[in-house]
Amino acid sequence: MEGEGEGASGAPGANAPPALLFLPGGSAVPLPLEPPPGPTAGELLRRLQGALLLPPVAAEALALWLSSPLLDEPCLQLRRSVFFPKSRELEVQEEALLRLLVGAAREQLVSGRWALEPPQSVQLGALLCRLDMGPFDPQRHTADTLRPLLGALLPRARARGGRWGALLRRGARGPAPEEQLRAAFARTPPGPAPPARLCRDFLRSCHRLPCYGCAFFAGAIERPPAGLLGRGLRPVRVAVGLDGVTIIDPRQQQVLLSLTYPELCWELVGAVGQDGAVGQDGAAVGQDGAVGQEPPQLWLEFDGEHEGAPVNRLLRVFSPQAELMSALIECCIELGGASPAPPPDEATPTDEDPPRDETTPSAEAPPPARRHESGARARPQRLATIDYVCDGQQLRRVRPPRRSASFFARGGGSSAPVPGGERG
């Protein structure tokens, strides 16, 4: 969420002007507010539902967010709810609500939060072209007419070292983004089509992405050792949703790790007021204020391989928002995030592997979890993890960590992840 949170606050006073609620796409709707304590977020959503003539399901599909880098001048925004299932999203028939959902997805696309490969972005941009401009017309839809629209159809251009910057510099070695977009636009279905169906087609394509419908948090992970520079910390973006957790490198716009809830367990470490918190140097920290020396950590444990042998891997995410991440993970699992993935015909890739059954813990080292073939290819080899293997009834580190207490010492020596992502 990166300085954002769901909910709404009351008006500062009886004579305060109406609050402006910003919709996806940038337009705003004035909402009158009563004096404190004022209306709740649910009441504001019901008022918006009446003002925009939205169906009743809009109260579940949408959420109010207070967005601000430091929560000093918050902006009230309407976005897609993290807790709205993708399957129900495709059941929506009302065009007005579908366009709001498409607008929210477009904002995520152009902002670069999804960390897509250029071909994936071009495909989604072509579907937006079809929705905005109608069927492809080779006379009207040229590269010159599409070029000024790239900022609303594709992720914003990155720094010169980014993938899109390199794509812009390729020149004769490859087509420009507007030319790729035009070619993809030309491959969209011809002829007239209902806007509601086109909206669902776009959303269905978004459903294949690991970060769709997620809330985003800022964090950092340890870097692998690199010469004299040592490990250090590497900024990451953490996406948490109903399907699982995804770790993104925001600078390189790459997915580093994407796990469904049956593939992981997690632990919140170092939160204020938490008993037995563990500091970065491995020392136990109580409630005497020492936890404030570093941000809390979200520990993610999952299956992996080391030199061809199965191991348990532990990734530590440092973030002041770790407690929010942990709470959202727990809530998503309670809402069904740990259940098996839907069949391929329910808006998921047809070539993905089914999740592994982890209903019964085992003292034996589990086989590597089968990773889902998501829309963005994960790169777990670029993570600095702490690896463990089973040695009889005990767990033995493969590579001893430099600054960590044992994550599994408190769990009774079982190497299997806790079923459904429950806390260890």
Side-chain angles (χ1 to χ4, degrees), residues 45-358:
L45 274 177
R46 285 190 290 271
R47 295 179 186 179
L48 180 68
Q49 176 183 334
L52 300 181
L53 302 178
L54 299 176
V57 71
E60 304 177 54
L62 303 174
L64 298 181
W65 290 63
L66 285 175
S67 175
S68 174
L70 298 175
L71 295 181
D72 47 3
E73 296 180 359
C75 175
L76 188 60
Q77 296 180 337
L78 184 70
R79 297 186 181 177
R80 184 192 188 277
S81 174
V82 176
F83 305 121
F84 192 57
K86 298 175 184 177
S87 58
R88 294 195 59 194
E89 186 175 70
L90 296 179
E91 297 173 356
V92 175
Q93 301 296 322
E94 292 79 7
E95 181 182 342
L97 178 55
L98 285 170
R99 286 193 176 272
L100 287 176
L101 293 172
V102 169
R106 185 198 294 257
E107 288 185 351
Q108 300 293 312
L109 170 66
V110 300
S111 66
R113 284 192 169 185
W114 287 344
L116 306 179
E117 300 291 341
Q120 297 169 327
S121 302
V122 170
Q123 179 185 6
L124 293 176
L127 294 176
L128 290 175
C129 287
R130 178 66 177 85
L131 179 61
D132 295 345
M133 308 175 194
F136 176 75
D137 184 343
Q139 302 301 322
R140 294 190 301 116
H141 304 135
T142 65
D144 291 336
T145 59
L146 292 178
R147 188 178 299 111
L149 306 176
L150 291 181
L153 299 169
L154 299 176
R156 299 188 184 101
R158 302 296 169 188
R160 290 182 61 86
R163 290 195 304 251
W164 280 111
L167 189 62
L168 291 171
R169 299 195 307 272
R170 290 177 63 182
R173 292 186 296 168
E178 60 271 19
E179 295 171 350
Q180 297 184 40
L181 184 61
R182 183 179 185 272
F185 186 12
R187 293 191 295 268
T188 58
R197 192 184 78 184
L198 295 175
C199 289
R200 284 192 294 271
D201 289 344
F202 174 78
L203 295 174
R204 185 178 291 108
S205 296
C206 294
H207 289 182
R208 298 187 176 98
L209 308 176
C211 297
Y212 180 75
C214 290
F216 293 87
F217 304 84
I221 60 175
E222 291 180 310
R223 297 179 183 272
L228 299 177
L229 297 180
R231 288 185 179 270
L233 291 180
R234 175 186 192 177
V236 294
R237 184 184 302 132
V238 184
V240 180
L242 286 177
D243 292 336
V245 180
T246 300
I247 308 295
I248 297 172
D249 183 334
R251 181 179 178 182
Q252 298 295 328
Q253 286 297 297
Q254 294 176 344
V255 173
L256 302 176
L257 183 68
S258 185
L259 298 170
T260 60
Y261 291 119
E263 295 176 305
L264 65 87
C265 67
W266 89 101
E267 178 87 0
L268 175 64
V269 176
V272 175
Q274 183 183 26
D275 292 331
V278 178
Q280 190 172 0
D281 57 357
V285 179
Q287 300 184 15
D288 56 358
V291 292
Q293 297 177 358
E294 64 178 19
Q297 305 168 28
L298 181 73
W299 288 7
L300 302 176
E301 189 266 333
F302 55 98
D303 293 346
E305 286 188 358
H306 176 73
E307 298 180 352
V311 297
N312 293 80
R313 285 187 164 169
L314 172 64
L315 177 67
R316 304 193 300 176
V317 181
F318 301 84
S319 174
Q321 299 175 320
E323 194 165 0
L324 293 175
M325 298 184 212
S326 178
L328 183 55
I329 290 173
E330 187 169 6
C331 188
C332 288
I333 290 177
E334 290 177 355
L335 292 175
S339 60
D345 59 351
E346 295 186 16
T348 55
T350 57
D351 58 346
E352 70 176 9
D353 292 325
R356 200 185 69 217
D357 183 11
E358 295 181 346

Side-chain angles (χ1 to χ4, degrees), residues 13-58:
N15 298 323
L20 288 179
L21 174 61
F22 289 88
L23 306 179
S27 60
V29 175
L31 288 179
L33 300 180
E34 292 80 12
T40 64
E43 291 170 346
L44 287 178
L45 274 177
R46 285 190 290 271
R47 295 179 186 179
L48 180 68
Q49 176 183 334
L52 300 181
L53 302 178
L54 299 176
V57 71

